[in-house]
Amino acid sequence: MADSGDWTCDANDAVQLTLIQPGETKPITAEIFHPQFTYPIFGDDEQIFGYKGLIIRLRFATHDLRTHVHISYDEKFRAVGDAAAVDLNKTLREWVPESAFTKLSDYENTVQNDQKAKDFTPPGKLVHSYKTKNRNYEIWAGSLADDAVRALLGRAQGFVPFFIEGGVPLVLDDPEWTLERWIVYFVYEKVTPTTPTASQYSFVGYSTVYRWWFFPEQHGDNTVKNGPFPYPEEIRFSQLPSRSRIAQFLILPPHQSSGHGSQLYNVIHKACIADKTVVELTVEDPNESFDVLRDSADYHNLYHEFRNQDININPNPYPKETGKRRPRNVPTSSLIPTQKLSDIRTKYKIAPTQFAHILEMYLLSRIPPRKRGGANMARLLIKKHTADDEDDRRYYWWRLLVKQRLYKRSRDILVQLEPQDRIQKLDETIMNVEEGYDQLLTVFDAREKGRATFAPDVDSDADAVMTAAGVTTMGALRNKRKYAIEDEDEEDEDEAELVEGSKQAKRPKI
C-alpha cells in the first residue's frame, strides 16, 4: 500500500469557492478564491485523506448565491481495512444545502437561462448606496422573518465555515417571533449585466444583527398596577428595549480592503442610533480584523465629538489650598468630565468597554509623543502630579486612569499578589496597552488630520488604511493590544463604573 502521505491533501488548497454568472453560451467565473480555513468541516488538521489531484468546487451564482458542489480528482484510495477515503458528499452535506448536489449540467443550465435574474433585487430594503474605486455598491437590510431574506441568508451561510472562525450557521426554522429579532444586511455591487438576462447585482458580503433584551433601570414608582389581561395589543420583541449585537460579519476576500467593512459597520451603527429602543451596539466574539475595523470606525465617529467637547485630562485636579493632603484615590471626576463622557457614550450607543478603549486612545493622542513613553518615566516617577510640564502631568494621570480600569477589572487576581509584584504586573500591562494604542493612533490620527487628502475608498476602510500606512499588519496591531488584556462579555459591563471614570479592564495575563 502506498504511504498515507501520498493520499493526503490540504483542504484549504483543495476547496475552491467561485462566484459565477451567465456567459455567451455557458456560465463564466466572476471571482475565484480559497477558504481561510476548513477545520469545521475537515477537522483541526485541515487535511483530506484518500484522493490525488482533488478539487472541491463550490459555485455560487453572483446574484442569489444558488449553490452547487462539484468534486473531481485524479485517483481515489481503495479502502483497506479501516482505512478509507473521506466520504466527501456525506461530509459536505452537513454544511451545504441538499439542492447543491445536482448534476453540473443542470446547475449551469439553470444559471445560464434564469429568466428571473434580470429582475432580481436583494431582499429587504435599500438602506445605503456608495461608490468606491469607481464601482457602485448598495446595502440592503431586512428581517429574518422575511422569506426572501431567510432564503438568501441560508445560501450565504455556506461561507461561514470557511471564513468566520467559530461561526455557526443560524437556525432558520425558528418561530417567527424569534426570527423577528434578527436583521440581515446584504452588500451588493451594481454591475453591468454580462447578458441581456443576467442580473445587475453581484454579492459582496453580509452581516447578521440580533436584538438582545435589555433590562432597563427602574425609576420612580415601581408598584405593580392592575391592568387588562390579556394585553390589548400583542407585545413584539422589536418594540422592547434591547442591545443590538453583531453576530456574523463577512466581506468576501475579493472585495476586502476596499472600504466595504467600514461602510457596513457604519450603516449598522447608524441604524442603532436611530432606533430609540436600542440602548447600545455590541459585537459577539469579534476577531482581530473586525476589532481593528471597529476601532477605526468608532474612533472616527467619536474623534470629532471629543474635539468639539474639548475632552482632555485636567492636569491640575487637586485644589490649590496649601497644606491639604491629597486623597489616596484617583480623582477621576476632576480629571475627566465623567458625566459628559457618559452622555456621549449614550448618544453614540457604544458599549462601555469599547468606549473606554477609544477614550483612552484619544486622551493619549492629546499628549505629545515626546512627553510619553519610557524616556521620561524616571523623572515622572519622582515628580508625579507635581511635574512642571502640563503634558507630563497629563501623561502621569493618563497612566493612573488606565491602571485604575485594569485593576478594577482584575482585582480578584491582583490582590493575591504581593504589592510589588502587583505594581510590576500593572506596569507591564499598561506598557503594552500604550504601545498598542500608539500603533493604532499612528494610522487613525494620520487619517483624521489629513482626511481631505485621502481617497474615499481608502479612507473608509481599516484594512486599506493599515496597508497604505505600512505600519504593521492588522493582526499584529490587535495582538499587541491584547498582549496582556483579554475581553470579557460586554453585556456584563456596568455603566455606573464609566460614570465614575473607572471602567472595568480587560484582564491582565498574570
Side-chain angles (χ1 to χ4, degrees):
M1 183 179 69
D3 183 84
S4 62
D6 297 335
W7 293 95
T8 301
C9 64
D10 187 297
N12 292 339
D13 292 335
V15 175
Q16 294 181 1
L17 304 171
T18 306
L19 294 181
I20 66 170
Q21 58 191 0
E24 292 185 5
T25 58
K26 66 177 183 178
I28 59 176
T29 299
E31 305 284 357
I32 184 169
F33 46 96
H34 290 277
Q36 184 176 348
F37 36 71
T38 53
Y39 69 84
I41 301 176
F42 298 108
D44 293 341
D45 293 337
E46 297 184 325
Q47 300 288 310
I48 300 175
F49 173 76
Y51 302 88
K52 291 183 178 180
L54 176 64
I55 300 178
I56 302 173
R57 295 182 178 90
L58 271 71
R59 292 184 170 94
F60 300 84
T62 55
H63 65 298
D64 64 1
L65 299 182
R66 186 187 303 268
T67 312
H68 181 261
V69 176
H70 182 259
I71 300 171
S72 64
Y73 49 84
D74 297 333
E75 192 175 354
K76 183 176 180 179
F77 180 79
R78 291 184 178 182
V80 178
D82 294 335
V86 174
D87 187 337
L88 296 174
N89 283 318
K90 180 181 179 181
T91 301
L92 290 171
R93 271 184 165 85
E94 298 182 16
W95 299 90
V96 181
E98 186 65 31
S99 59
F101 296 88
T102 60
K103 290 183 179 180
L104 177 59
S105 58
D106 292 343
Y107 175 76
E108 291 186 342
N109 183 64
T110 301
V111 173
Q112 181 69 20
N113 301 303
D114 184 1
Q115 297 301 314
K116 297 180 180 179
K118 66 180 183 348
D119 298 322
F120 171 86
T121 58
K125 178 182 178 182
L126 176 63
V127 294
H128 182 57
S129 300
Y130 63 98
K131 188 172 184 178
T132 180
K133 296 183 178 179
N134 295 318
R135 297 163 69 172
N136 297 307
Y137 298 87
E138 295 178 353
I139 298 178
W140 294 67
S143 168
L144 196 54
D146 184 325
D147 291 341
V149 172
R150 198 160 59 253
L152 182 58
L153 178 63
R155 294 170 176 171
Q157 288 190 141
F159 296 111
V160 168
F162 301 116
F163 297 106
I164 301 180
E165 190 165 8
V168 178
L170 302 184
V171 177
L172 302 180
D173 57 357
D174 276 343
E176 182 177 355
W177 71 268
T178 299
L179 297 176
E180 285 181 347
R181 296 174 56 196
W182 293 87
I183 299 295
V184 186
Y185 293 81
F186 298 107
V187 184
Y188 272 87
E189 180 181 3
K190 291 286 293 289
V191 299
T192 302
T194 52
T195 68
T197 59
S199 174
Q200 61 178 331
Y201 284 98
S202 181
F203 183 80
V204 171
Y206 79 100
S207 180
T208 57
V209 181
Y210 69 95
R211 300 173 68 93
W212 186 273
W213 189 70
F214 174 80
F215 188 80
E217 294 183 8
Q218 300 295 321
H219 299 286
D221 184 10
N222 297 325
T223 304
V224 177
K225 298 179 176 61
N226 293 327
F229 184 84
Y231 294 109
E233 297 180 2
E234 182 181 3
I235 298 177
R236 308 197 69 87
F237 202 98
S238 59
Q239 299 170 342
L240 299 175
S242 66
R243 291 183 173 96
S244 282
R245 172 170 278 194
I246 297 174
Q248 299 171 338
F249 192 100
L250 173 65
I251 302 297
L252 294 183
H255 298 280
Q256 291 176 6
S257 298
S258 297
H260 306 300
S262 294
Q263 292 280 355
L264 180 54
Y265 176 80
N266 283 327
V267 165
I268 296 172
H269 189 192
K270 289 177 181 178
C272 291
I273 293 176
D275 189 337
K276 294 181 179 179
T277 67
V278 173
V279 177
E280 65 189 26
L281 175 63
T282 63
V283 182
E284 181 177 309
D285 194 20
N287 62 17
E288 294 169 3
S289 298
F290 186 86
D291 271 328
V292 175
L293 182 150
R294 183 189 186 193
D295 287 347
S296 175
D298 288 344
Y299 186 84
H300 168 65
N301 291 332
L302 292 174
Y303 176 85
H304 300 286
E305 185 75 28
F306 288 157
R307 295 282 291 187
N308 293 338
Q309 299 280 355
D310 195 27
I311 301 298
N312 205 347
I313 295 174
N314 175 16
N316 305 304
Y318 293 132
K320 295 183 178 180
E321 296 91 327
T322 58
K324 184 174 181 179
R325 186 175 181 180
R326 70 180 185 88
R328 291 187 61 189
N329 296 331
V330 178
T332 306
S333 58
S334 298
L335 287 170
I336 53 177
T338 53
Q339 184 57 53
K340 185 182 293 186
L341 290 170
S342 180
D343 293 342
I344 293 173
R345 191 194 75 80
T346 301
K347 173 183 175 182
Y348 285 89
K349 301 185 179 181
I350 295 177
T353 296
Q354 176 68 4
F355 185 83
H357 290 310
I358 302 302
L359 173 62
E360 288 169 3
M361 276 196 286
Y362 177 79
L363 292 175
L364 186 63
S365 74
R366 300 298 303 272
I367 303 170
R370 69 180 185 279
K371 294 292 185 179
R372 58 185 195 246
N376 298 319
M377 285 307 300
R379 183 174 69 249
L380 196 62
L381 289 175
I382 297 173
K383 288 285 189 178
K384 298 184 178 180
H385 68 285
T386 63
D388 296 332
D389 188 273
E390 281 193 355
D391 289 323
D392 285 339
R393 297 199 294 276
R394 285 194 175 95
Y395 180 57
Y396 168 78
W397 289 120
W398 181 87
R399 286 174 57 87
L400 281 188
L401 286 171
V402 178
K403 281 185 178 181
Q404 178 180 240
R405 180 176 66 83
L406 296 172
Y407 181 81
K408 287 211 168 190
R409 185 57 172 267
S410 304
R411 183 180 182 279
D412 292 343
I413 298 176
L414 292 171
V415 293
Q416 301 177 40
L417 302 177
E418 294 296 328
Q420 192 59 40
D421 292 336
R422 189 184 310 157
I423 293 172
Q424 180 182 348
K425 292 301 181 183
L426 280 172
D427 283 338
E428 291 173 357
T429 299
I430 198 170
M431 285 175 61
N432 283 282
V433 170
E434 181 180 345
E435 186 174 346
Y437 284 167
D438 273 332
Q439 291 177 340
L440 290 168
L441 284 170
T442 300
V443 177
F444 298 164
D445 283 349
R447 184 192 64 182
E448 297 303 332
K449 294 175 182 177
R451 190 166 184 79
T453 63
F454 276 80
D457 56 305
V458 175
D459 180 52
S460 62
D461 185 72
D463 293 15
V465 172
M466 290 294 173
T467 303
V471 180
T472 182
T473 65
M474 185 163 47
L477 284 174
R478 187 61 184 175
N479 278 330
K480 196 63 182 178
R481 195 178 108 173
K482 292 175 72 176
Y483 173 77
I485 306 293
E486 292 180 347
D487 277 316
E488 302 240 352
D489 190 350
E490 290 177 315
E491 306 304 335
D492 296 331
E493 296 292 353
D494 184 357
E495 182 180 349
E497 292 198 11
L498 177 64
V499 175
E500 294 301 321
S502 55
K503 270 313 306 147
Q504 290 188 351
K506 297 178 176 182
R507 179 176 299 166
K509 290 182 180 177
I510 52 181

